[in-house]
Amino acid sequence: MDFKKLADEVSQEVLAFSRDTSGWKVTKTSKKITVSWKPSRNYDGHLYRAEGIIPETPAKLIQFMYLPEHRSKWDRSLHTYRMLHRIDSDTFILHTITNSFAMGSIAPRDFVDLVHIKYYEGEKVIVSSVSVEYPQCPPTSSYIRGYNNPCGYVCSPLPENPGYSKLVMYVQPELRGNLSRAVVEATMPTNLLNLIHDAKDGIKAQKAHSAHSSPKGHSSSLLHKK
C-alpha cells in the first residue's frame, strides 16, 4: 500500500470537512465546547465535529494531541497509545487500545491508524488519520478491532489571541462488534466533550509543570549572554 499517497488523500478529505459548513446539527454543548454531527459519506453512521478553544499555539497543540509521549499522559480514554512505524517526519502508523466506556457497556477496542501532519498558511495545522491494515500488528482475540474512517484535528490560531488555538475534531469511527448504532450515537458526543476537556486540563498541567521545574531567576540573564 502507498501509505504516503493515502495520507495525502485523507488530509485533503479532512480539509474538506473543515470547509463544509452546511448540514451540521448541534447535539451537545458544555463549557464552550460544541459537538455537532451530519450523515457520513464514508459509512452508515455519523460524522462528528467537536469544537473548542485550547490555550496553546497550533504547532505545540498538535504535538500534544498525537505524540505518544504526550497523549498517553492526558487522554483518559486510552489504555495504550504507541507508534508502530515512522514513515517520514510527518507520517506514522499508530496503535491505539481504548479503555471501556459508557460505564463499561462498551468494551475496549483497538485501532491501527495511518496518521499524517500537514501545515498550511496562517499557521493552520491538520492531523489526519484513517485505519489501515498493518501486518506487524494484526487483530487479536483480546480486543475488537475498530475502524476509523477519515478523521482528524484542525488547529488554527485565534486571530484575537494567537497564543490560543481553535481545535476542531472530526471523527467517524466504526466500533464494530455487536454494538447497536443507537448505543454508539448516544455515547459519542460525551466522549468527544471529555476528550477536549482532558486536552485542556493536560495542557494546563503541562504548563504548570514546566513553570515549576524551570530554574527561577536564570531565564532573563541567559537571554543577554552572547
Side-chain angles (χ1 to χ4, degrees):
M1 177 181 288
D2 188 342
F3 286 130
K4 294 186 71 171
K5 182 175 183 292
L6 176 61
D8 188 62
E9 291 172 352
V10 175
S11 181
Q12 291 301 313
E13 191 162 356
V14 174
L15 180 62
F17 293 160
S18 70
R19 292 172 172 170
D20 183 1
T21 59
S22 64
W24 294 98
K25 299 178 182 179
V26 175
T27 184
K28 206 171 187 68
T29 59
S30 173
K31 297 179 181 179
K32 299 182 179 180
I33 300 171
T34 302
V35 179
S36 312
W37 68 272
K38 67 187 306 181
S40 171
R41 297 179 180 178
N42 298 96
Y43 77 119
D44 184 23
H46 290 169
L47 167 63
Y48 292 92
R49 180 182 69 185
E51 306 170 89
I53 305 300
I54 308 291
E56 187 56 277
T57 62
K60 291 182 179 179
L61 176 58
I62 283 297
Q63 295 187 33
F64 185 79
M65 294 294 293
Y66 85 89
L67 286 177
E69 58 263 36
H70 296 306
R71 186 161 180 175
S72 59
K73 295 178 181 177
W74 63 264
D75 191 344
R76 294 181 295 170
S77 71
L78 300 183
H79 177 271
T80 301
Y81 184 73
R82 63 192 178 101
M83 187 177 296
L84 297 176
H85 179 56
R86 182 186 293 268
I87 297 169
D88 60 29
S89 61
D90 296 321
T91 313
F92 321 88
I93 294 177
L94 297 172
H95 182 222
T96 303
I97 301 174
T98 69
N99 290 314
S100 62
F101 55 100
M103 300 180 66
S105 62
I106 298 179
R109 262 60 176 173
D110 82 324
F111 299 84
V112 174
D113 296 316
L114 174 67
V115 178
H116 180 63
I117 305 132
K118 193 161 186 178
Y119 299 88
Y120 293 84
E121 291 184 7
E123 298 186 38
K124 176 186 286 189
V125 188
I126 293 180
V127 175
S128 57
S129 64
V130 66
S131 286
V132 294
E133 292 185 5
Y134 190 64
Q136 290 85 340
C137 188
T140 71
S141 59
S142 300
Y143 301 100
I144 296 171
R145 176 65 54 91
Y147 182 86
N148 281 317
N149 290 285
C151 54
Y153 312 129
V154 180
C155 292
S156 306
L158 289 183
E160 65 274 20
N161 190 346
Y164 280 60
S165 299
K166 180 177 182 181
L167 172 65
V168 185
M169 304 171 54
Y170 298 93
V171 300
Q172 43 182 347
E174 296 183 58
L175 299 183
R176 297 179 171 174
N178 297 318
L179 289 176
S180 70
R181 178 172 166 178
V183 170
V184 175
E185 292 175 359
T187 58
M188 191 58 63
T190 298
N191 290 342
L192 292 173
L193 284 176
N194 289 341
L195 182 59
I196 294 185
H197 283 310
D198 287 350
K200 282 185 173 182
D201 290 343
I203 286 284
K204 291 176 182 177
Q206 184 184 65
K207 287 186 172 183
H209 176 75
S210 297
H212 179 73
S213 59
S214 296
K216 296 182 179 180
H218 294 289
S219 57
S220 59
S221 62
L222 288 173
L223 291 175
H224 296 288
K225 291 184 178 181
K226 303 295 185 182

